[in-house]
Amino acid sequence: MEEKTPRVEIIPEQCKGCELCVVECPQDVLFMSKKINQFGYMVAEYKGDGCTGCGFCFYACPEPGTITVYKKKRVKKEASA
Amino acid sequence: MQEVLGKPEGFVDNFVRKPGDYPKVTHYCPGCGHGRVHKLIAEAMADLEISDKTVLISPVGCTVFAYYYFDCGNIQSAHGRAPAVGTGVGRSNPGSITISYQGDGDLGAIGTAEIIHAANRGENMTVIFVNNGIYGMTGGQMAPTTLEGQVTTTTPTGRDIDEAGHPMRMSEMIATLEAPVFVERTAVTDTKNIMKTRKAIRKALKSQKDGYGFSFVEILSSCPIGWKMKPVAANQRITDEMVPYFPLKNFKDEIENRSPRPTKTVDPDPNKIIEVLGVDKDERLFKKDQSFIDNFKDQHVRIAGFGGQGVLLAGTTLGYLGMETGLNTTWLPSYGPEMRGGTANCHIVLSNKEVGSPLVEKASTLIAMNQPSLNEFGVTVKPGGLIVINSSTVEGKYTERDDVTCLYIPMNEIAESLGVMQAANMAALTAYLAYSKAFDVDMLTSLIKANFKKKTLIEKNVAVIQKTYEYVKENYLN
Ligand SMILES: Cc1ncc(C[n+]2csc(CCOP(=O)(O)OP(=O)(O)O)c2C)c(N)n1
Ligand code: SF4
Ligand code: SF4
Ligand code: SF4
């Protein structure tokens, strides 16, 4: 069950609403939603498409497991370097 | 297979050591730079396959609880002492990886000596120095790295460099030393700089893994709460205000030019240690009296008062009585998490059996040198126990308990009448010994004569002991 397109997953219950992922996303596909989690934070959300799997949001997020980025399938380079 | 970028394996999956209901999120404030740094360390540990041999020393500061998160060994050290603890860990575990994680208050203020000398000795450790220019944990006081003019709770009109000195550039200082192999300053502000930080952390850890000794990565990081800013604006502040003063650059990279240092193996021979410490010799002030030891009733004593009343010295003196008679003895001073002067107390356990815990939770005797100590610890005394109260500072009788014995001793008056105000603690100890008969009061006198250096002080303390003994005999013994 291989996925072709890159995507990002944000666990709303683990989001602290800091907005740091949103400002780092070069594709502008993340946004602060109006949804409020159990802590009372407004959580970050993915628009649903346009993610390139660059991983910037993953490193931007201070929380360990809130964001997971599913990158594109790695095409193995031919026997060179 | 699809590549996944998710929670690094250097983290434990569930933060089971963290109290409360949320074992997946950190205790850090939203947007705190510590979280970003943690993620990079966890990832590097997993990728370099060093988790199993890494000991992370967590500091005092917001990251005091770093052990909730990382899947490696941890020792939580006293404020500023992480490099000293790391030295011990590194030297006694050759081949291990030591990470000293420190804030700027921890590393640049209280722990300045430790970091400089650990770096100078080239200890096997990687220091991750998170510079957020403020004391985060205690509510935003000035740190050594606070910028000129920066407002903090202790610099309400901004840091005045004539008064508080200039912000300290620690990387530059460390880089002047010979031994460190890698010193770099980075920032976790945006993707570009986070990636540079990632690289620096990996390089530093790899160099340690390969045996090159001391590496140092300073990371400019935000404290949105302490700075009273939104996380995004806080990161912008680093770029606009901190980076001009704390330039982002590599200050030293000698990895190519040096060779790995040979691992020193240490082979501690327990017998040798005992010999060096001299604890194999049965040299005691008092001749061993087996029947005294066999008949000794366990003493769990708490001595409490305000700083300056000699509470800790009274405790060590009692401890010495135990040691010099051949009992098992522990003495534990106890301060709150933040030491602000004020109250002090200590726990003493004396027993003819092995002592399991040095904590005195249920005291057989409480010595209360002032009112707050009596209020706080009176309730912890065992039924049938003893409370020795300093009636010079405590007014009236203690009516909270009717199942304990109270002695009221005018400790200050006794000490003052003999010209040694500081000896109120000896009056306290004497009263306890005279009434409980745990030791002969004469033994206390002998101990003071053997342990105190100044002759005049000995005489005065002995006089206090005698006068208190008379007082107890007259009022409480018949
Ligand atoms: C011996 C001692 N002195 C003082 C304190 C109080 N204290 C706790 S954390 C802290 C400063 C922490 O600041 P920093 O190292 O910059 O770490 P941050 O919390 O900002 O990450 C101080 C002074 C203490 N716990 N122990
Ligand atoms: S992986 Fe890149 S493109 Fe995708 S959401 Fe994150 S930052 Fe945006
Ligand atoms: S960076 Fe993490 S915690 Fe902050 S808003 Fe994005 S997902 Fe939430
Ligand atoms: S007080 Fe500052 S350093 Fe501490 S967790 Fe909060 S934001 Fe981070």
Side-chain angles (χ1 to χ4, degrees):
Chain A
M1 226 190 47
E2 212 165 74
E3 295 172 67
K4 299 271 175 340
T5 42
R7 65 187 172 90
V8 60
E9 234 174 59
I10 301 177
I11 302 173
E13 294 77 30
Q14 295 181 24
C15 173
K16 290 184 177 169
C18 70
E19 223 180 319
L20 293 177
C21 55
V22 174
V23 297
E24 283 311 311
C25 175
Q27 307 304 324
D28 219 5
V29 293
L30 301 177
F31 65 103
M32 297 310 292
S33 79
K34 295 271 173 288
K35 288 186 199 140
I36 291 178
N37 69 7
Q38 80 284 7
F39 297 119
Y41 296 129
M42 297 228 216
V43 302
E45 253 187 273
Y46 174 40
K47 286 183 181 162
D49 65 336
C51 171
T52 60
C54 69
F56 290 11
C57 57
F58 169 77
Y59 289 106
C61 179
E63 286 300 311
T66 309
I67 294 187
T68 307
V69 176
Y70 298 85
K71 297 187 169 195
K72 228 202 318 251
K73 189 183 159 186
R74 261 249 175 105
V75 191
K76 267 218 185 106
K77 277 201 190 126
E78 296 303 306
S80 69
Chain B
M1 224 182 64
Q2 194 168 27
E3 224 190 305
V4 180
L5 205 49
K7 190 177 191 172
E9 274 173 29
F11 285 124
V12 289
D13 190 29
N14 274 311
F15 306 140
V16 291
R17 296 172 183 151
K18 179 174 175 259
D21 296 332
Y22 302 100
K24 296 279 187 193
V25 295
T26 67
H27 72 289
Y28 299 114
C29 309
C32 173
H34 280 305
R36 286 180 161 179
V37 177
H38 279 29
K39 194 178 259 182
L40 298 176
I41 295 175
E43 191 193 39
M45 277 199 319
D47 291 352
L48 292 168
E49 298 179 345
I50 54 172
S51 300
D52 285 350
K53 53 177 183 174
T54 297
V55 180
L56 185 133
I57 319 289
S58 46
V60 167
C62 287
T63 47
V64 65
F65 299 125
Y67 59 84
Y68 290 166
Y69 310 116
F70 293 105
D71 190 12
C72 65
N74 176 283
I75 297 178
Q76 199 284 306
S77 71
H79 207 5
R81 275 50 172 174
V85 175
T87 297
V89 170
R91 289 191 180 200
S92 50
N93 300 283
S96 66
I97 304 286
T98 309
I99 301 176
S100 178
Y101 191 114
Q102 302 184 259
D104 43 87
D106 193 81
L107 183 140
I110 194 167
T112 327
E114 281 74 12
I115 187 61
I116 297 283
H117 290 285
N120 192 46
R121 295 189 303 265
E123 297 294 342
N124 275 312
M125 70 176 75
T126 298
V127 177
I128 304 293
F129 169 39
V130 176
N131 178 358
N132 59 17
I134 207 160
Y135 289 5
M137 185 193 206
T138 43
Q141 294 82 359
M142 180 185 73
T145 47
T146 298
L147 295 178
E148 182 178 0
Q150 188 181 334
V151 173
T152 69
T153 56
T154 44
T155 53
T157 55
R159 180 179 184 150
D160 176 354
I161 52 164
D162 290 328
E163 202 174 85
H166 293 267
M168 281 164 81
R169 297 187 179 100
M170 295 308 296
S171 288
E172 283 85 337
M173 276 167 69
I174 299 291
T176 64
L177 302 170
E178 279 303 318
V181 68
F182 181 82
V183 182
E184 185 159 317
R185 184 186 291 117
T186 64
V188 280
T189 43
D190 51 23
T191 302
K192 188 180 113 221
N193 281 318
I194 293 173
M195 288 303 136
K196 284 190 178 167
T197 307
R198 180 174 183 267
K199 206 170 150 197
I201 289 176
R202 295 166 93 88
K203 202 161 178 187
L205 283 174
K206 171 121 186 357
S207 76
Q208 191 190 162
K209 186 186 177 194
D210 294 342
Y212 287 90
F214 190 91
S215 47
F216 188 94
V217 183
E218 171 174 350
I219 302 163
L220 304 184
S221 166
S222 72
C223 170
I225 290 294
W227 300 354
K228 301 187 171 57
M229 294 175 103
K230 292 250 169 68
V232 174
N235 281 329
Q236 192 58 45
R237 176 181 175 268
I238 298 178
T239 309
D240 296 345
E241 296 177 25
M242 290 179 82
V243 172
Y245 190 87
F246 295 112
L248 305 182
K249 61 188 255 197
N250 178 278
F251 295 97
K252 194 166 184 185
D253 184 352
E254 292 287 320
I255 299 170
E256 298 273 294
N257 309 329
R258 291 192 190 166
S259 10
R261 307 177 343 158
T263 2
K264 284 197 210 101
T265 45
V266 280
D267 188 12
D269 172 1
N271 294 322
K272 188 86 193 159
I273 295 171
I274 287 169
E275 200 187 303
V276 168
L277 293 174
V279 289
D280 54 336
K281 298 188 199 79
D282 197 9
E283 277 172 10
R284 297 207 170 81
L285 183 60
F286 305 110
K287 239 178 65 211
K288 191 163 181 181
D289 178 348
Q290 197 57 47
S291 82
F292 168 82
I293 294 175
D294 291 343
N295 294 319
F296 189 84
K297 282 223 312 268
D298 284 7
Q299 299 290 309
H300 292 87
V301 183
R302 170 94 81 153
I303 309 181
F306 60 78
Q309 278 186 316
V311 160
L312 302 186
L313 180 67
T316 50
T317 306
L318 180 56
Y320 273 120
L321 277 179
M323 281 161 58
E324 299 289 2
T325 47
L327 293 163
N328 292 319
T329 304
T330 61
W331 169 82
L332 185 77
S334 163
Y335 322 98
E338 283 133 63
M339 228 184 101
R340 294 202 189 89
T343 58
N345 78 86
C346 62
H347 310 231
I348 303 102
V349 181
L350 304 169
S351 177
N352 53 14
K353 299 171 279 296
E354 284 186 1
V355 178
S357 162
L359 279 178
V360 173
E361 270 157 336
K362 295 238 170 291
S364 55
T365 294
L366 166 69
I367 297 178
M369 307 276 294
N370 64 359
Q371 187 75 54
S373 308
L374 181 59
N375 298 349
E376 189 173 350
F377 301 118
V379 289
T380 68
V381 177
K382 279 182 205 159
L386 177 68
I387 307 185
V388 183
I389 296 169
N390 184 5
S391 59
S392 308
T393 61
V394 174
E395 268 180 46
K397 299 284 176 219
Y398 184 58
T399 52
E400 295 295 308
R401 303 273 303 262
D402 54 12
D403 58 347
V404 296
T405 306
C406 293
L407 308 183
Y408 297 88
I409 312 291
M411 301 174 190
N412 296 11
E413 275 89 348
I414 294 177
E416 235 165 321
S417 72
L418 295 162
V420 263
M421 189 53 210
Q422 321 89 288
N425 58 351
M426 283 308 138
L429 212 48
T430 307
Y432 151 64
L433 295 183
Y435 191 85
S436 70
K437 301 195 168 66
F439 298 90
D440 276 350
V441 174
D442 286 349
M443 293 169 104
L444 178 60
T445 311
S446 312
L447 185 83
I448 297 296
K449 286 182 178 161
N451 277 15
F452 281 26
K453 303 236 156 45
K454 270 205 206 133
K455 199 156 173 271
T456 49
L457 257 189
I458 294 179
E459 280 165 12
K460 287 181 174 172
N461 274 278
V462 169
V464 169
I465 293 170
Q466 275 161 358
K467 189 160 179 179
T468 313
Y469 194 18
E470 293 307 319
Y471 185 92
V472 175
K473 277 201 270 193
E474 224 167 85
N475 293 281
Y476 294 102
L477 304 172
N478 25 38

